[in-house]
Structures are given as C-alpha cells and as structure tokens.
Amino acid sequence: MPRTAETASFKFNHTMLRIKDPKPSLHFYTEILGMTLVEKKEYDSFTLYFLCFDHGDNVTAETRFGREGILELTHNHGTESDPDFKGYASGNSEPGRGFGHIALTVDDVDKACERFESLGVKFQKRPTDGKMRRIAFILDPDGYWVEILKGYFPS
Amino acid sequence: MPRTAETASFKFNHTMLRIKDPKPSLHFYTEILGMTLVEKKEYDSFTLYFLCFDHGDNVTAETRFGREGILELTHNHGTESDPDFKGYASGNSEPGRGFGHIALTVDDVDKACERFESLGVKFQKRPTDGKMRRIAFILDPDGYWVEILKGYFPS
C-alpha cells in the first residue's frame, strides 16, 4: 500500500544519465540491452532520449509518464567530437563517486552474459569473477555500470 | 513489444545511489517521498536499502526482483560520523558530472511541491523558477537531484 495518501500517485519514473555520443549509447541500450527508444526530444544545445523495456504495453511519448523504469539519456551537443571532452564520471571512482549503477533483471544471467560477450560488451565483473557468482556488471559506452541479475519469475 | 527475443525478459530493475547517512536518507525517501522500505541487507562494511513506491502490489524482498522502479541506497558504514568524509558527488557539478537525477511522476506538481516546502525540503528549482514551469527539482540529503514532474493520468 502507498505509505501516505499525499504520495499515493508518485512513481519512480526515470533515471537520467549524461552520454558523450548517442550513436554508441543508443546501439548499446537498444540493440544490446533491448530497450525501445520511446521518444527523442531535440533542443538547441542538447537532445534527450527516453528508453524503456517494452513488455507489450507499447509505450509512447505520452504514456512514458505513466510508468516506472524509464531511462533518460542526455546528449549535450558537441561532446561526441570534442577532443578536449574528458568523458563523464561513472560515479564509481574518485572524484565523483556517488552514483552507483543501473540494474537489469534477466531470466538467465549466464546466457545474457554470453550474448553480451559475443557482442563485444566490456565487463566490470563477469559472473565468474569474485564472490558474487549470480551477478555481473557490464559497462555502457560512457563507463556507467549496468548490473545484470536474476529476476523473480514465479512458476 | 520487446525488441529482441533474447532480451524479452529484461527489466530496468533498479538504480543505486550511495548515501552518507541512512537516517536522513530513509526519512527523505519514505516519509517525504512516500517510498516503502522493502528490504534492508546488512553486510560487514555496508548496508543496502531497497525502496520503491508500492501501488498496492505489496512488494516483498523476493518480488522486488520482478518489477521496475526500485531504488537501492548503499551506506558504507562510518561515513555518517567521519569528519573527513567530504560527501558524495551528486553528478551535477564538476568534477563528477555524469549522473543526472532520478525522477518521480506525481499527479499534481504544485501540490507536491507545497508539501515538500512545508516539510523543509531543499529545492534546486521550484516550479516557478526558470522557463520550465511544469517541473521542479528537489534535493535529497546527499544533494542528489530528484525531479518532480506530472505523470500521465488517463481520464
């Protein structure tokens, strides 16, 4: 149940990450992770990309405000070709530590990771690395960590 | 529809943020924002808190893996009382710029913000500030930006 009547309508709609270059990022989030690009909003100096996993609800630019699990990618124009742009901090190293990661649940972590491997995705932690054998961390094109863990699939 | 058969099971399960002190953070995310604390996992050197907006689905420690919109807060023990701890980068200033924000949809932005104001929440941007009158940004105890925007409420 919602905790309070005043917050009963609240939803955790989206998470926003800045990206250097939309080409590799959109490839990563759509072709590799399987998200759908729901809306692209172009402004003078930046472009926003809204993505989510569409599980048959056919999310649109309007209905994306009615659900959770949206990813917003912000591209500040020019970073993709600026030799002085140093890249964005992933949040997992100093300085800038703070933001941790986004996480995907999947039905089969090993199978998902084999596919990521075959697609040339970089790993921060393979399922076989370290103690936690049931999870993995892959890296998106900007170096943000994407956790891969098993979801809950009631029989 | 899912983009590929191989990724059809994937869900954007959670976003993780590091927090300095769980007391003000849990107060903020539960009492002020209205999230439910679904699970607390204590380890030797850190504790994880998993929260979400419960819209009547009575999320549990098990079923939290089956949905989107989970927020994971990581507390590395000791930061709350360490005078040398400088706090985490919110991602929205140099150095560390990269992570942007998390966002909540609400049915009434002005009403939600009046309540936040009365609860002493700090604002990065009130609805009346700047050009974008329909959105606000509040700050969580670590300084992470939380966007407040109107959701999609079909009649």
Side-chain angles (χ1 to χ4, degrees), chain B residues 128-143:
Chain B
T128 49
D129 295 335
K131 286 182 189 169
M132 294 180 293
R133 297 297 167 100
R134 293 178 301 179
I135 64 168
F137 282 95
I138 58 176
L139 298 176
D140 97 338
D142 285 280

Side-chain angles (χ1 to χ4, degrees), chain A residues 122-137:
Chain A
K122 287 182 189 162
F123 280 75
Q124 174 67 29
K125 177 209 173 304
R126 289 183 172 74
T128 49
D129 295 334
K131 285 180 186 171
M132 295 181 293
R133 296 299 166 101
R134 291 177 303 176
I135 64 168
F137 283 94

Side-chain angles (χ1 to χ4, degrees), chain B residues 39-98:
Chain B
E39 190 178 9
K40 177 181 175 179
K41 292 185 82 171
E42 286 195 78
Y43 295 89
D44 287 346
S45 59
F46 63 94
T47 300
L48 307 180
Y49 299 89
F50 295 92
L51 302 105
C52 68
F53 289 105
D54 192 320
H55 297 107
D57 42 343
N58 296 309
V59 186
T60 66
E62 189 177 34
T63 61
R64 74 174 172 83
F65 293 105
R67 83 195 300 282
E68 303 193 312
I70 304 282
L71 180 67
E72 175 183 5
L73 300 179
T74 296
H75 172 227
N76 289 306
H77 299 161
T79 51
E80 72 283 8
S81 56
D82 178 358
D84 295 327
F85 180 72
K86 292 184 181 125
Y88 289 120
S90 73
N92 289 300
S93 56
E94 303 290 355
R97 203 161 170 262

